[in-house]
Amino acid sequence: MDANLKIAEAILEIIGKENIISVTHCATRLRLQVNNRELIDDTAISEIDQVKGVFYTAGQYQIILGTGIVNRVYRALIEKYSFNESTKSEMEKNSSNIIQRAIKNVADIFVPIIPIIGATGLFLGLKGVLLNSVVLKAMGLSNDMIPQWLLTMNTVLADTAFAFLTAFICWSTFKKMGGMPIIGFLIGLMLVSPALPNAYGVASGDAQPILAFGKIALVGYQGSILTALITGAIGATLEKRLRKIMPNSMDLIFTPFLVIAISVVIALFLLGPVVHSFEKGAINIIEIFLKLPLGIGGLLLGFLYPICVMTGMHHVFIMVETSLLATTGFNPLITVCAMYGFSNAAVCLALGLNYRKSSQKTAAISATSTQLLGVSEPALFGVVMRQGTKAIIIMIASSALGGMILSLLKVQANSYGLAVLLSPLMYMYNPYQLVAYLSTGIFIFLLAFILTKFFIKD
């Protein structure tokens, strides 16, 4: 029998075919909507081969299998048995409250943008290394000797994504909300049109806003994440409603015309000035919080972030990080939260080495490897939380301490989307930042590992 089908049948035997309403999966977990959660034996499920843990949240019984294998087990389950093949969004709509759905929808909009921001962060890091005077001196070069074409190439690679970030956000919002993504992309481009005074130039005094009706300041919305998000939501909603009433012969041209015209007018004349001011104030408050004396801001965020991951509230951080990057060029938020990954991996590894059963030991070491590459659920839900309060306290305390240290050292990333082993790439732009981050990460990993080995013997 196929190994994946064997796992699927073992899961089905314990949960019961009649107890399952619908099935879906995400990157690491098989998600089941069940009739009666009390009928399921968690211990028996956890002992199935390849299962790294289970938990129940938002009406879903979730079985952690890990990347790759979850797709194969899901497909084996669907092909062998006639379950309702629900999408993840449908299941979450039926089983989560309005706040959870709102946070998840915002996360779904920003997740597709993460790869380009991550890649841009690497380009910025390489640019920092290339233009670093110490590196150039070691190579017998100086800044004056770098050819203009190479500097231009660096600028194109490192600056383009942030220059047109509003377009990417509008595109992703339209796509998520069922509109035509290309319309959203064009609206986003219009918000940063060269015909409008550049927002950064206006802020620095190098450019003046254009006054409409003698009162309303028209500027570009470079770096205004919230304006792009709300404009995209308005445009996508308007498009769907217009398509219901627009005659077929006029739909192809006049629906996009009206959507673009109305959305851009609302954004430039009504929405933008108010939302942009609010967004700037919110970013200033976050920066002040992160710079609280004695590293208190980093301590609190390092403490709260693992709890947010446990409850699924961590998705909201993505929008804040994007705003920080677009406004300031740096992301201190991911830095103080990043120690969660190091501490979670260390606690998971220490617990795995303590286990006596070979299946548990293998699962924990596998979960550690997954966490080191950036996926935390198998380690968090499958090992650390299952162990109990001591393991959770050590993990959270280590994360909080790491956040405080990095805040005191004024370390900040220039990107997001990279975790643990790959995260140092976000600090390549400056030797001090890289060394400080790496040193803190290694220290937190060793501390969490030693504390776990000392306080949790079996």
Side-chain angles (χ1 to χ4, degrees), residues 432-454:
Y432 166 77
Q433 296 282 326
L434 181 61
V435 172
Y437 179 79
L438 274 175
S439 302
T440 305
I442 292 169
F443 168 71
I444 292 300
F445 186 92
L446 293 174
L447 176 67
F449 183 87
I450 293 168
L451 289 174
T452 306
K453 293 289 283 185
F454 183 80

Side-chain angles (χ1 to χ4, degrees), residues 40 62 157 235 259 319-320 393 415 419 435:
I40 304 172
Q62 302 191 16
L157 291 171
V259 170
M319 185 174 74
V320 179
I393 289 173
S415 179
V435 172

